[in-house]
Amino acid sequence: MLEHSGPGDLHQWKEVERLAALRNFDILDTAPDIQFDNIAKLAAQICNTPIACISFLDEHRQWFKARTGVELTQTPRENSVCNHAIMQPGLFVVSDLSLDPRFKDRVQVEGAPSLSFYAGVPLRTKEGLPLGMLCVLDYVARPEGLTEQQGEALATLAEAVMCQLELKLASKAAAESEEFTRRLLASSDDCIKVFDLKGRLRFMSEGGMRAMEVEDFHTIEGRHWTTLWSSIASEESTAAVEAVKAGGIGRFQGSCATMTGVQKWWDVVVTPIMGHDRTPQGFLCISRDITEFRATEERLRSSEKRLRTLVDAMPASMNSPQVVWFSDPQGDFTYCNDVWYEYTGLSAGDGPNGNWSTVVDPIHRERMLDSWSDALRKGTSFEIEMPLRRAPDGMYRWFIVRGQPLRNEQGKTEQWFGIAMDIHERKQSEQALKNSEERLQLALKAAHMIAWEFNPQSGTTTRSDNSLALLGITPGVDRTFMTGIHPDDHERVDGFLQEIRSNGASSIECRYVLPSGETRWLRVRGEQAGPDRIVGVTFDISEQKEAEAEIWHSANHDALTGLPNRTLFQHRLDAALDHARQNGTSVSLLLIDLDDFKDINDTLGHDAGDALLQETARRLSTMVRGCDTVARIGGDEFAVLVVDPLKLENATRLGALIAEALRQPFIYQKRTLISRVSIGIAAYPDHDGNPAELIKDADIAMYQAKSQGRNRVITYSPEMRNVIEQRVSLGRGMREAISNDEIVPFYQPKICLTTGEIVGLEALARWQHPKDGILTPGYFGAVFEDHDIAASIGKKLITKVAADVRGWLDQDLLVGRVALNLSPAEFSQTGIVDNLLRSLDRLRVPASFFEVEVTETVLLGRNSDNVSSALAQFRQHGIQIALDDFGTGYASLTHLKQFPVDHIKIDRSFVRDLEQDSDDEAIIAAVISLGKSLQLQVTAEGVETHGQARRLRELGCDHAQGFLYAKPMAASQIPELVRRWNSMLVRPRSDKTAKPLGK
């Protein structure tokens, strides 16, 4: 990559950035513009020169957007004075080009005038990137150069050129934004309208015109809103519009006919359109067709009416009467069936609500009514058991009352529906069983538990004889019930005694401190045996508590490392974020992933992997405070939760320290293990406050760390999420492209450097985009990280390439072997060899016409054994194997020995500077010598000049491939390419006279 820095305040820039900026302005090869032509003419007039040009420089040429005094449209870049001038910080003047050593040997372009004087100003972006030059030229030398005023005027005109470029770019962006807005509005089915402050219609969306059945907007433009909504221009709608004029929001519903007379129900929301002074300039009206919803509501009301009729017709059982009731959201009854009135004796004339609370047993009334109010307030289904008075005999019988909320589409409770069933006999049976069970338990456990009796009036407690053995308390009478109870549990025990007095019985768990200082857990059960007598038993549950604690620990901690697991970590993260939001503090999250952990498991075994995880947990635990949390949340993934007062910058430093600490080696079974980690960091309030989103932020940052080469610490930024979303969008687009059959092969020929013949083609993937044209992997290459997409692309290409070869064979067209590039994803698929061979057999194409190209990325993958087996099978069926990008990886020589390779391809990075860099020449010579020694074919990629081709032939290279011969092209162009090339071979030409293909 080119990188330039000029003197003074000239910004450092890179060629790739400059070219990207130039492409962004989309100025190259555009039609002449009078604005630019006028600037060029003005520059020539001001500087008193016969020639003036506005030019832009891409990779290979200098292209003239505007010119005066010369007819050329473009020249080679390397032959241009402007190619040197764009490196300068400002005005660049050459008084006599023939005397300047930098330009006196410049090759004269055919048809171009012989020039002596040059002066130019770079055309720079706001970022300081030079896109081209505004220059003036003369046929005669000008020792005096330009005057100061002329130089300033030329610089001003250069700024005018850039202003024109920025204006065109802004205009293009505005047009695209306007088109996007139009499509967005057109996609909505809602009726979207804009009115001015006088209520006159100024806009209606396409969806609105469809909904209102408007054929031509001009027929209703300017109408007052009341004429459009005449049937619902009520006080409610008028109030909504007035609220909007005051800067608020209005809403109403009503029926309104379309232009063809069809009646529809609409839900209308009106909002103000605010001006720069924050006052309403008009209002936006969004109307939604709710006709079907209203019809559903009407059907629901009819269904409810039928339900009530059915309820009233239900036969009432004298043994178990069922009360059916409805109430409003506040719990006031709106309907009860006849069973209610017959049972309670209340008058139906007083309405269903009546004074219903009077039939509840006074002993339980207050508690029952509180439970009723609490259930209604929560708004969820409920069950309440309460005793109700039976009118004929005044007996209170137990009923279970069930309630279910009925909600509208907004989720708001509109009414309650429920039933009440007589459960008195069941309740009596349950109480009798409970009393019997408790007495039985007291009798059975007396010998192993402490039996006690407490007098609430005197405060004395009498305990059984075994109290000394179990609790260390002397048997007999004690003046307090709290003897030995842990101080923190005194309030709970007081509540326990109060509940017995209120409900007749209760139980509690509490801690007890023995005279030795040991703390034990006890469960205490008691019941009211008389006005001044509570009896009960106490038994030791310490072992049960220990088992529960162990179960809880097992459920919330990782068995291997002892660290909190994902469940406990999630609880602590939720609590930390709640605390931070309430107190204005911070929370930082570090997600840590062990790089290449699977490789350790695969090579050294799971015991080594477990040892690495345990050592990682130990080191992490020593690096945090007691208030922080270290957790293992996945197979090789850890999390560190850092709380206040540490901030994001502290967490970032901690991440670097953790990475360094985990890089330190440790010994396992006489083997040295080294762990490297990728760490992603996110924090609140710097990033998200939602736990799931904060974890996602840190996970995205960790993904970035891995994608940038692993073994690094990355802090989250919102742009990272955009990159992920772009990657997802690209993947979605590529899946559509595969589905729409937009993936096609392009072909680039390989040329024999000895004979000049075409000896083969390389098939290259291209995306035939319906809007953007032919796209290369430089645009969509990221999708190959998705193995499913990569495999689908490979299958498409193999089928199409095989079909193309079949077509060429049918034309008796010989193109040599066609090289297929196979990705790591394709080698991870089972049956890759069989699938390819079946495709060839189906089209009757011999396998000997093909070659498979693989890179070291494939050979170094985790399934290298599968790769080796697949390559061997290809070889057995006559398909040759080529090692692509040879020389760029560290294991190339190993691969030549390990894998069945027939052909090596020298990477273009060595060919690019072959003519100038002796090191590159030495490397290429060594690779060619190695290939000949191993009897391998050698092809050089990226050949673009005749000098490169000549030197490669002199070094003994077999084949060459590159733009010098042809650019990649569609299959339909190959026959013409071959015929043209073969016709050129009739009379061999020297390198200087050979013409590249595809021009």
Side-chain angles (χ1 to χ4, degrees), residues 95-125:
S95 299
D96 192 340
L97 292 170
S98 64
L99 298 179
D100 194 310
R102 296 170 295 183
F103 308 109
K104 65 180 182 179
D105 295 329
R106 184 168 58 94
V107 177
Q108 184 68 27
V109 177
E110 184 179 350
S114 178
L115 301 172
S116 295
F117 172 75
Y118 175 96
V121 177
L123 301 176
R124 295 189 182 278
T125 66

Side-chain angles (χ1 to χ4, degrees), residues 530-584:
D532 299 325
R533 185 167 175 256
I534 297 176
V535 297
V537 293
T538 299
F539 47 98
D540 191 328
I541 60 169
S542 298
E543 292 183 358
Q544 176 185 335
K545 282 292 184 180
E546 290 174 0
E548 290 175 354
E550 185 175 346
I551 292 173
W552 182 90
H553 187 276
S554 298
N556 290 276
H557 288 77
D558 175 47
L560 178 64
T561 63
L563 294 177
N565 60 15
R566 181 180 288 274
T567 301
L568 181 55
F569 173 77
Q570 187 67 54
H571 288 321
R572 292 188 179 177
L573 176 60
D574 294 345
L577 287 173
D578 288 341
H579 181 271
R581 281 190 291 267
Q582 294 170 7
N583 297 277

Side-chain angles (χ1 to χ4, degrees), residues 539-827:
F539 47 98
D540 191 328
I541 60 169
S542 298
E543 292 183 358
Q544 176 185 335
K545 282 292 184 180
E546 290 174 0
E548 290 175 354
E550 185 175 346
I551 292 173
W552 182 90
H553 187 276
S554 298
N556 290 276
H557 288 77
D558 175 47
L560 178 64
T561 63
L563 294 177
N565 60 15
R566 181 180 288 274
T567 301
L568 181 55
F569 173 77
Q570 187 67 54
H571 288 321
R572 292 188 179 177
L573 176 60
D574 294 345
L577 287 173
D578 288 341
H579 181 271
R581 281 190 291 267
Q582 294 170 7
N583 297 277
T585 56
S586 64
V587 175
S588 297
L589 173 62
L590 294 82
L591 289 186
I592 305 167
D593 189 84
L594 303 184
D595 296 334
D596 301 321
F597 174 74
K598 187 177 185 302
D599 292 341
I600 293 178
N601 267 344
D602 293 344
T603 57
L604 301 180
H606 288 279
D607 289 344
D610 290 347
L612 176 59
L613 292 173
Q614 290 169 333
E615 178 64 17
T616 300
R618 186 192 66 76
R619 294 186 186 184
L620 288 175
S621 299
T622 62
M623 301 186 70
V624 299
R625 304 164 297 168
C627 57
D628 300 327
T629 298
V630 176
R632 182 187 177 201
I633 59 175
D636 59 350
E637 192 171 347
F638 294 83
V640 176
L641 184 64
V642 181
V643 297
D644 199 70
L646 298 185
K647 310 295 184 186
L648 177 58
E649 55 269 22
N650 305 115
T652 302
R653 287 194 292 271
L654 175 61
L657 293 174
I658 288 174
E660 179 61 29
L662 296 182
R663 274 196 293 267
Q664 302 306 311
F666 78 98
I667 305 301
Y668 171 74
Q669 293 185 353
K670 298 182 181 181
R671 290 179 177 268
T672 300
L673 300 184
I674 298 177
S675 173
R676 293 180 175 84
V677 295
S678 297
I679 302 178
I681 302 176
Y684 170 82
D686 306 82
H687 306 126
D688 280 295
N690 177 275
E693 292 301 316
L694 188 63
I695 292 175
K696 187 181 294 183
D697 292 345
D699 196 50
I700 289 173
M702 185 178 71
Y703 176 84
Q704 284 293 315
K706 284 189 171 294
S707 65
Q708 292 179 19
R710 305 188 176 191
N711 190 29
R712 63 194 67 227
V713 181
I714 298 293
T715 300
Y716 172 78
S717 66
E719 292 77 14
M720 295 179 184
R721 184 169 293 210
N722 294 337
V723 172
I724 296 298
E725 291 172 351
Q726 290 173 3
R727 185 184 298 272
V728 172
S729 176
L730 179 60
R732 189 183 305 114
M734 180 52 67
R735 289 187 179 91
E736 293 178 0
I738 294 171
S739 176
N740 297 334
D741 200 27
E742 295 170 3
I743 305 303
V744 298
F746 268 44
Y747 300 92
Q748 187 175 38
K750 288 184 291 187
I751 307 301
C752 176
L753 287 172
T754 302
T755 66
E757 294 178 318
I758 295 177
V759 294
L761 302 174
E762 181 177 0
L764 303 166
R766 293 294 185 265
W767 181 357
Q768 199 166 19
H769 198 280
K771 295 182 179 179
D772 299 333
I774 300 298
L775 302 178
T776 69
Y779 174 81
F780 62 84
V783 300
F784 286 98
E785 295 180 13
D786 186 317
H787 278 206
D788 291 336
I789 294 179
S792 298
I793 293 174
K795 290 179 181 178
K796 285 279 186 183
L797 287 177
I798 288 171
T799 301
K800 291 189 175 184
V801 170
D804 290 340
V805 173
R806 180 66 266 167
W808 297 330
L809 291 175
D810 292 341
Q811 301 176 47
D812 294 328
L813 192 70
L814 299 179
V815 296
R817 288 185 183 266
V818 178
L820 297 169
N821 289 280
L822 298 186
S823 66
E826 292 170 273
F827 280 99

Side-chain angles (χ1 to χ4, degrees), residues 222-296:
R223 288 193 185 182
H224 196 266
W225 73 270
T226 55
T227 64
L228 292 173
W229 299 94
S230 57
S231 58
I232 54 173
S234 60
E235 292 182 1
E236 182 182 8
S237 59
T238 302
V241 173
E242 292 302 319
V244 170
K245 291 180 178 179
I249 297 176
R251 186 170 186 171
F252 60 94
Q253 291 185 356
S255 175
C256 179
T258 67
M259 294 296 102
T260 61
V262 177
Q263 286 291 334
K264 293 184 178 182
W265 270 91
W266 303 89
D267 183 13
V268 185
V269 178
V270 192
T271 59
I273 300 174
M274 309 302 285
H276 294 296
D277 57 355
R278 306 305 300 165
T279 62
Q281 304 296 308
F283 56 92
L284 177 69
C285 176
I286 302 177
S287 309
R288 177 162 293 177
D289 184 355
I290 59 170
T291 305
E292 185 61 31
F293 174 74
R294 293 281 299 187
T296 302

Side-chain angles (χ1 to χ4, degrees), residues 230-445:
S230 57
S231 58
I232 54 173
S234 60
E235 292 182 1
E236 182 182 8
S237 59
T238 302
V241 173
E242 292 302 319
V244 170
K245 291 180 178 179
I249 297 176
R251 186 170 186 171
F252 60 94
Q253 291 185 356
S255 175
C256 179
T258 67
M259 294 296 102
T260 61
V262 177
Q263 286 291 334
K264 293 184 178 182
W265 270 91
W266 303 89
D267 183 13
V268 185
V269 178
V270 192
T271 59
I273 300 174
M274 309 302 285
H276 294 296
D277 57 355
R278 306 305 300 165
T279 62
Q281 304 296 308
F283 56 92
L284 177 69
C285 176
I286 302 177
S287 309
R288 177 162 293 177
D289 184 355
I290 59 170
T291 305
E292 185 61 31
F293 174 74
R294 293 281 299 187
T296 302
E297 276 190 330
E298 185 61 34
R299 290 193 294 271
L300 180 60
R301 282 191 289 270
S302 299
S303 177
E304 179 180 339
K305 183 177 180 180
R306 290 193 297 271
L307 174 62
R308 291 191 176 186
T309 302
L310 178 62
V311 167
D312 289 338
M314 288 173 56
S317 169
M318 295 304 296
N319 295 326
S320 180
Q322 297 184 20
V323 177
V324 179
W325 57 270
F326 287 88
S327 78
D328 61 21
Q330 290 71 42
D332 294 330
F333 292 116
T334 57
Y335 167 82
C336 289
N337 65 348
D338 293 339
V339 176
W340 169 255
Y341 300 106
E342 293 171 0
Y343 181 87
T344 63
L346 296 176
S347 172
D350 295 335
N353 205 42
N355 193 15
W356 72 273
S357 60
T358 59
V359 302
V360 181
D361 190 342
I363 299 176
H364 304 281
R365 183 176 298 158
E366 183 176 356
R367 184 165 56 86
M368 294 295 110
L369 293 179
D370 288 344
S371 298
W372 172 266
S373 300
D374 184 61
L376 294 175
R377 184 173 61 256
K378 291 179 179 178
T380 58
S381 303
F382 64 84
E383 289 186 356
I384 302 175
E385 295 181 359
M386 61 176 67
L388 303 177
R389 186 185 66 239
R390 187 166 61 186
D393 56 10
M395 177 183 178
Y396 286 95
R397 295 180 62 83
W398 282 93
F399 275 70
I400 182 169
V401 181
R402 295 189 174 98
Q404 177 73 33
L406 302 179
R407 309 180 191 279
N408 58 21
E409 66 173 353
Q410 286 79 32
K412 184 178 180 181
T413 300
E414 290 189 331
Q415 60 179 326
W416 289 86
F417 164 75
I419 62 172
M421 297 177 58
D422 188 328
I423 59 168
H424 191 72
E425 283 72 24
R426 192 193 80 187
K427 194 74 173 177
Q428 285 183 320
S429 299
E430 288 176 353
Q431 188 62 41
L433 179 61
K434 179 180 178 183
N435 294 339
S436 175
E437 180 182 358
E438 289 182 352
R439 287 192 294 269
L440 178 61
Q441 290 299 321
L442 287 173
L444 293 175
K445 302 294 184 179

Side-chain angles (χ1 to χ4, degrees), residues 481-515:
F481 189 75
M482 297 292 184
T483 299
I485 300 297
H486 194 286
D488 293 344
D489 291 342
H490 281 192
E491 185 176 347
R492 296 177 63 205
V493 174
D494 278 336
F496 160 72
L497 295 174
Q498 291 291 339
E499 188 173 354
I500 292 176
R501 288 194 286 270
S502 299
N503 299 329
S506 184
S507 64
I508 189 178
E509 293 179 357
C510 60
R511 288 164 293 178
Y512 184 85
V513 182
L514 296 174

